[in-house]
């Protein structure tokens, strides 16, 4: 009885928080705690040897050599001092005991805190390759450095497996450097599972318009080392593509292995409630969290791998930690992502998967467009290619829950 009362108490303002994972969501949570007057101890333990840094530039400015990778750092000395976070780097969590709020690390150490926040993100899904094959995956600081190094110098044959957002961005970066780029995609229409076929085909056209060869509906048979440092990507249709540089971008899996024995519910991520709590004292945020989310009348478990969502989760979790599970409302969130490809900015607000119909309501010859997604009578999402002002015009309407017909009227106003 006493224990359960204790558990449901709110976090004391001078209590302790252990954040596992050293990425964007973790950082925003720590910042949120300090902004809201938390004076207790915050320890952030991450397995990378770096302070938190920003991942989106890795496939864009870092890949093209426009930015040194150091420019992605999110914490300078001044910020570090203001945060008063005990950063523990290069240390991997291997087990969580949620009842004791105790995390065990790969160096054998254990840490206990009043609250534990899981922010361990996600890792690229791997493809089996033959020995000696160098395949680039783009997730970490080191990945960004290695990709930039491989893409520097004279024109090369770059093969990208996967035409999702990361693959498309790498293809665009490589083309901007003058490389010969081939993208291999399993789906008949890239991004159709996210955007639908109509918009997916518009994204496919961006590759073709910019001199990237896009092959869709392909199945990879094998990836083996060729001569002179090349890689041979063989397809089921009998063709083989020779790569000087091979990049694989076929999605990510949440980093939950370390929680397998914890008793915390795992199902394609850490399952948390609408306020991001897994238990009264353990929260999960960012790419690793699968959270209960109610929008447009439907509650679903959702895991979203976007920068803005990770940042919002971090901020929101800080409030949740201080209020306690019993007093925390469900997260109010308008998912947003962007992707930079071939000099254009692709942006999405809302939930495209909750959709009955997609309509391109504005389109220009250079690929710029605006599309509205309808779910029943409601506007469920808005997608734009280089129409940022028009897209953001729908932000408040989406938050307020707007009728699709009202959204159309705004367009003609
Ligand atoms: C190349 C790239 C480009 C992107 N571009 C865009 C974009 O244009 N727009 C957009 O909306 N989103 C983009 N994203 C997505 C966005 O960056 C992520 O959604 C965001 O980084 C998620 O933050 P996070 O803190 O949840 O996870 P992460 O940033 O993955 O941080 C998790 C951290 O936890 C560490 N960790 C994992 N397991 C353990 C463990 N057991 N113990 C200790 N530490 C552990 C990880 O190594 C990592 O450092 C991009 C992502 C990548 C990789």
């Amino acid at each position: 009885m006493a224990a359960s009362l204790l558990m449901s108490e709110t976090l004391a303002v001078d209590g302790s928080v252990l954040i596992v994972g050293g990425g964007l969501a973790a950082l925003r949570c720590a910042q949120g705690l300090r902004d809201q007057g938390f004076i207790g101890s915050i320890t952030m333990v991450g397995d990378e040897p770096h302070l938190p840094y920003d991942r989106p530039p890795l496939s864009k400015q870092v890949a093209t050599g426009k930015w040194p990778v150091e420019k992605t750092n999110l914490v300078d000395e001044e910020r570090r001092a203001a945060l008063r976070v005990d950063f523990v780097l290069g240390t991997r969590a291997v087990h969580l005991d949620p009842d004791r709020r105790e995390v065990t690390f790969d160096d054998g150490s254990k840490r206990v805190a009043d609250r534990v926040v899981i922010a361990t993100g996600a890792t690229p899904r791997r493809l089996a390759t033959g020995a000696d094959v160098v395949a680039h995956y783009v997730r970490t600081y080191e990945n960004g450095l290695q990709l930039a190094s491989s893409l520097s110098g004279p024109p090369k044959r770059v093969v990208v497996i996967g035409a999702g957002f990361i693959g498309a961005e790498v293809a665009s970066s490589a083309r901007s450097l003058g490389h010969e780029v081939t993208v291999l995609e399993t789906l008949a229409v890239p991004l159709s599972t996210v955007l639908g076929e109509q918009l997916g085909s518009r994204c496919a056209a961006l590759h073709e318009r910019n001199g990237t060869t896009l092959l869709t509906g392909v199945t990879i048979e094998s990836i083996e080392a060729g001569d002179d440092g090349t890689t041979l990507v063989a397809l089921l249709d009998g063709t083989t593509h020779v790569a000087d540089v091979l990049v694989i971008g076929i999605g990510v899996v949440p980093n939950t292995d370390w929680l397998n024995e914890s008793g915390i519910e795992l199902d394609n991520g850490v399952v948390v409630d609408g306020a991001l709590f897994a238990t009264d004292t353990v929260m999960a945020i960012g790419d690793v969290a699968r959270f209960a989310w109610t929008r447009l009348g439907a509650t679903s478990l959702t895991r979203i791998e976007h920068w803005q969502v990770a940042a919002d989760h971090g901020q929101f979790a800080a409030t949740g930690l201080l209020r306690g599970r019993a007093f925390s409302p469900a997260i109010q969130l308008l998912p947003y992502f962007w992707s930079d490809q071939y000099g254009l900015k692709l942006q999405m607000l809302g939930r495209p998967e909750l959709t009955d119909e997609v309509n391109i309501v504005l389109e220009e010859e250079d690929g710029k467009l605006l599309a509205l997604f309808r779910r029943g009578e409601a506007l469920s999402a808005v997608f734009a290619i280089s129409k940022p002002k028009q897209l953001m015009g729908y932000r408040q309407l989406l938050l307020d829950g707007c009728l699709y017909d009202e959204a159309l009227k705004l367009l003609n106003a």
Side-chain angles (χ1 to χ4, degrees):
M1 174 71 175
S4 74
L5 271 178
L6 244 182
M7 289 300 117
S8 60
E9 275 176 6
T10 53
L11 173 68
V13 77
D14 60 351
S16 58
V17 177
L18 172 60
I19 307 176
V20 185
L24 175 72
L27 178 67
R28 286 299 173 92
C29 180
Q31 271 170 341
L33 282 167
R34 291 297 182 226
D35 290 348
Q36 293 179 58
F38 181 70
I39 55 168
S41 80
I42 305 175
T43 305
M44 196 188 294
V45 188
D47 61 358
E48 294 192 67
H50 311 286
L51 289 172
Y53 60 91
D54 221 9
R55 298 184 196 279
L58 298 176
S59 48
K60 310 172 182 75
Q61 297 91 332
V62 173
T64 52
K66 283 194 184 124
W67 283 18
V69 70
E70 297 78 25
K71 202 170 165 184
T72 61
N73 291 344
L74 290 171
V75 184
D76 58 19
E77 280 312 313
E78 194 182 333
R79 209 167 181 193
R80 186 174 181 169
L83 277 172
R84 288 172 286 116
V85 169
D86 179 14
F87 287 103
V88 180
L89 306 179
T91 305
R92 173 177 289 269
V94 293
H95 180 61
L96 167 71
D97 180 335
D99 295 334
R100 296 164 59 98
R101 303 170 318 281
E102 180 184 81
V103 179
T104 308
F105 296 94
D106 58 357
D107 59 3
S109 64
K110 291 179 193 286
R111 287 171 190 268
V112 178
D114 296 334
R115 300 290 182 271
V116 176
V117 180
I118 300 166
T120 44
T123 300
R125 189 171 287 129
R126 306 263 152 182
L127 272 183
T129 63
D132 300 328
V133 167
V134 178
H136 290 276
Y137 292 88
V138 199
R139 184 78 193 178
T140 66
Y141 202 86
E142 287 73 19
N143 295 160
L145 264 179
Q146 286 153 5
L147 180 63
S149 162
S150 292
L151 292 181
S152 66
K156 295 172 191 152
R157 291 160 294 184
V158 177
V159 173
V160 180
I161 299 180
F165 291 111
I166 302 285
E169 288 187 352
V170 172
S172 156
S173 293
R175 272 305 293 152
S176 76
L177 296 169
H179 298 300
E180 182 188 315
V181 183
T182 304
V183 178
L184 305 173
E185 168 60 49
T186 307
L187 293 173
V189 180
L191 294 168
S192 53
T193 47
V194 187
L195 300 175
E197 296 208 348
Q198 201 186 13
L199 290 174
S201 63
R202 299 303 197 275
C203 295
L206 298 181
H207 292 295
E208 284 146 16
R209 187 175 300 147
N210 288 279
T212 294
T213 304
L214 172 68
L215 301 177
T216 56
V218 305
T219 303
I220 310 286
E221 178 84 334
S222 67
I223 305 172
E224 299 291 341
D227 296 331
D228 303 327
T230 61
T231 300
L232 307 177
V233 183
L235 304 184
L236 195 61
D237 65 9
T239 58
T240 296
H241 297 268
V242 183
D244 300 307
V245 179
L246 173 67
V247 184
I248 300 177
I250 54 165
V252 294
V253 285
N255 290 324
T256 55
D257 284 1
W258 67 284
L259 296 163
N260 283 344
E261 308 299 320
S262 67
I264 294 268
E265 188 182 352
L266 304 176
D267 179 8
N268 180 25
V270 179
V271 176
V272 289
D273 64 15
L276 308 177
F277 283 86
T279 73
D280 285 349
T281 52
V282 177
M283 302 186 81
I285 57 176
D287 282 9
V288 76
R290 186 133 180 263
F291 59 106
W293 190 45
T294 304
R295 189 87 194 149
L296 296 171
T299 300
S300 55
L301 278 177
T302 309
R303 201 170 61 75
I304 305 180
E305 301 148 4
H306 301 322
W307 190 99
Q308 190 60 54
V309 173
D312 289 350
H313 271 189
Q315 287 282 351
F316 185 82
T319 310
L321 286 166
L322 293 167
R323 283 193 184 175
R325 185 181 204 176
F327 310 102
S328 287
I331 186 167
Q332 293 295 310
L333 188 75
L334 180 62
Y336 167 76
F337 73 76
W338 81 96
S339 175
D340 296 320
Q341 299 174 29
Y342 304 108
L344 297 171
K345 190 169 278 298
L346 285 62
Q347 292 171 295
M348 168 74 82
L349 275 172
R351 287 194 75 182
E353 71 274 22
L354 287 183
T355 288
D356 299 328
E357 184 186 334
V358 186
N359 286 308
I360 298 176
V361 292
L362 201 162
E363 189 163 24
E364 294 170 7
E365 277 183 8
D366 54 6
K368 294 178 184 167
L369 60 78
L370 186 75
L372 303 183
F373 292 61
R374 186 182 63 74
R375 158 93 164 179
E377 302 291 300
L379 177 71
S380 54
V382 181
F383 176 76
I385 301 183
S386 288
K387 290 282 172 196
K389 217 171 117 217
Q390 285 88 339
L391 179 106
M392 287 305 166
Y394 287 98
R395 193 173 180 283
Q396 197 56 47
L397 292 178
L398 280 162
L399 276 168
D400 294 345
C402 152
L403 291 177
Y404 183 84
D405 287 347
E406 296 296 321
L408 275 181
K409 279 186 205 151
L410 179 78
L411 192 74
N412 300 322

